[in-house]
Amino acid sequence: MRREHSTPRDGWEKTIEGQGLAYHRAAHPTGLARPYWDESVHYVFSMAEIEALEEQVEELHGMCLRAVEHVVSTGRFADFALPEWSWEEVARSWERRDPHLYGRFDLRYDGTGPAKLLEYNADTPTSLLEASVVQWFWLQDVHPGDDQWNSLHERLIDRWRALRLPPGPVHFAFTNADETGEEAMTVAYLQETAEQAGHPTISVAMEDIGWDDLGRRFVDAGDQVIRSAFKLYPWEWMLSDDFGHHAVRHATWVEPLWKALLSNKALLAVLWELYPGHPSLLPAYLDGPRELTSYISKPLLGREGASMRIVTPGGTRETPGRYGREGYVHQGFEALPEFGGERPVLGAWVVADEAAGLGIRESTGLITDDTSSFVPHRIAD
């Protein structure tokens, strides 16, 4: 694993916008000198490194599924700060094996040993278009003889074909609250993969979904019944909404309700309980840092690196935010490796239950937040 510099393509901004990354200017806070999509640098891996990472990711995914089974079978829903009324519905969703689509592991990796799990974004992961489409076309333009860990597009289409969904169109829901356009474009891309798999689809804003009390069903703005829907909208938000009680019982949602356990950072503590000392895990606890002298406290339902606290013998650092009301997990802290003054976090994608691709985000800080930049990668063998 190494970091290399390269010359950006002429007109790269228009190129990536034509490939769907229309939000790259809005994805960053204003005033940053570095663009969100940065092809002036990229990472190079050996095939042996990628094969090892694929194996580790699929092992981690299997461990996570067994953790869900453990939580459901032991009734540990309170550790995840889920509302008590939803516990039985989460269990039923898992017992039915409600269909799931994809997820993204965030990993610490420096090329010298097993990757370490930082968290699992298994409900509403983004940076998908960058990883699946945009960096693939970069590779074809700049390094056409090389390979890339990237079978995302094909695997997403195959997964949509395999999903057994109710008859009728699949609705694809985004929220109007997103001002950058990232979520709308991510949903539009996933909608395209579903259409390529043969599903009729309809686009809808979450804010435009209505509840037909007489018919006991969800409907869109045109009164079309919603029988199945992909939503880029977190389950914790849905469970706190007025229609949350209906959502857990009506319509087939992708991602399913049981994914609320995988997208919650309490998962990290459960994994450490079930697999203590595993080489791809960092110690993690819900009741405090225990023996850890260097640790990071993460809100169970935090996003974009907000509301985190790093404690080391050298001092304490905190990020601003409004998360943490539900509680924290305390995870052993190992700083992200440094390459050329930047710290990469690997976003390893899973589609269905198989490793499917890699996206890399860089930042100068110890926590990857909304100031990070996405950089492409290649396999040089």
Side-chain angles (χ1 to χ4, degrees), residues 134-155:
V134 182
Q135 70 169 343
W136 176 254
F137 283 113
W138 166 86
L139 182 75
Q140 303 311 304
D141 288 344
V142 181
H143 296 281
D146 287 348
D147 202 352
Q148 191 175 81
W149 183 11
N150 188 0
S151 58
L152 275 162
H153 188 77
E154 297 81 7
R155 288 182 184 271

Side-chain angles (χ1 to χ4, degrees), residues 102-181:
Y102 72 145
R104 191 194 77 226
F105 285 102
D106 284 350
L107 305 172
R108 183 200 183 277
Y109 182 70
D110 59 11
T112 63
K116 297 284 189 180
L117 174 63
L118 301 176
E119 59 187 72
Y120 194 10
N121 302 282
D123 184 19
T124 58
T126 54
S127 75
L128 175 65
L129 189 65
E130 300 92 302
S132 178
V133 176
V134 182
Q135 70 169 343
W136 176 254
F137 283 113
W138 166 86
L139 182 75
Q140 303 311 304
D141 288 344
V142 181
H143 296 281
D146 287 348
D147 202 352
Q148 191 175 81
W149 183 11
N150 188 0
S151 58
L152 275 162
H153 188 77
E154 297 81 7
R155 288 182 184 271
L156 285 167
I157 294 171
D158 289 344
R159 181 56 175 166
W160 282 117
R161 288 195 182 111
L163 292 183
R164 291 181 290 179
L165 299 173
V170 183
H171 283 73
F172 280 76
F174 58 92
T175 173
N176 287 326
D178 172 43
E179 298 179 351
T180 67

Side-chain angles (χ1 to χ4, degrees), residues 108 116 118 281-283 294 296 331-337 366:
R108 183 200 183 277
K116 297 284 189 180
L118 301 176
L281 297 178
L282 294 164
S294 293
I296 179 169
Q331 183 185 46
F333 176 72
E334 291 186 16
L336 292 171
L366 295 173

Side-chain angles (χ1 to χ4, degrees), residues 67-82 87 261 264 266-274 284-286 290:
V68 173
E69 176 62 34
H70 167 77
V71 172
V72 171
S73 63
T74 58
R76 293 186 57 181
F77 302 105
D79 286 341
F80 290 72
L82 296 174
W87 296 357
L261 299 175
N264 187 305
L267 171 73
L268 300 171
V270 173
L271 285 171
W272 187 249
E273 289 178 27
L274 298 178
Y285 308 105
L286 290 171
R290 298 192 189 179

Side-chain angles (χ1 to χ4, degrees), residues 282-324:
L282 294 164
Y285 308 105
L286 290 171
D287 58 357
R290 298 192 189 179
E291 80 284 355
L292 300 174
T293 57
S294 293
Y295 62 91
I296 179 169
S297 297
K298 300 179 176 180
L300 299 185
L301 300 174
R303 295 178 177 274
E304 297 285 357
S307 305
M308 292 192 180
R309 184 169 183 253
I310 298 174
V311 177
T312 67
T316 299
R317 302 184 188 185
E318 297 186 56
T319 59
R322 53 184 177 81
Y323 301 103

Side-chain angles (χ1 to χ4, degrees), residues 211-219 225 250:
W211 173 250
D212 176 3
D213 198 45
L214 184 61
R216 308 295 294 172
R217 59 192 184 179
F218 287 103
V219 294
V225 177
H250 300 274

Side-chain angles (χ1 to χ4, degrees), residues 43-64:
Y43 283 83
V44 184
F45 296 84
S46 70
M47 184 59 75
E49 287 175 318
I50 294 300
E51 289 174 345
L53 284 168
E54 287 182 321
E55 183 177 342
Q56 292 161 35
V57 165
E58 293 190 356
E59 181 182 11
L60 281 170
H61 178 69
M63 291 160 58
C64 288

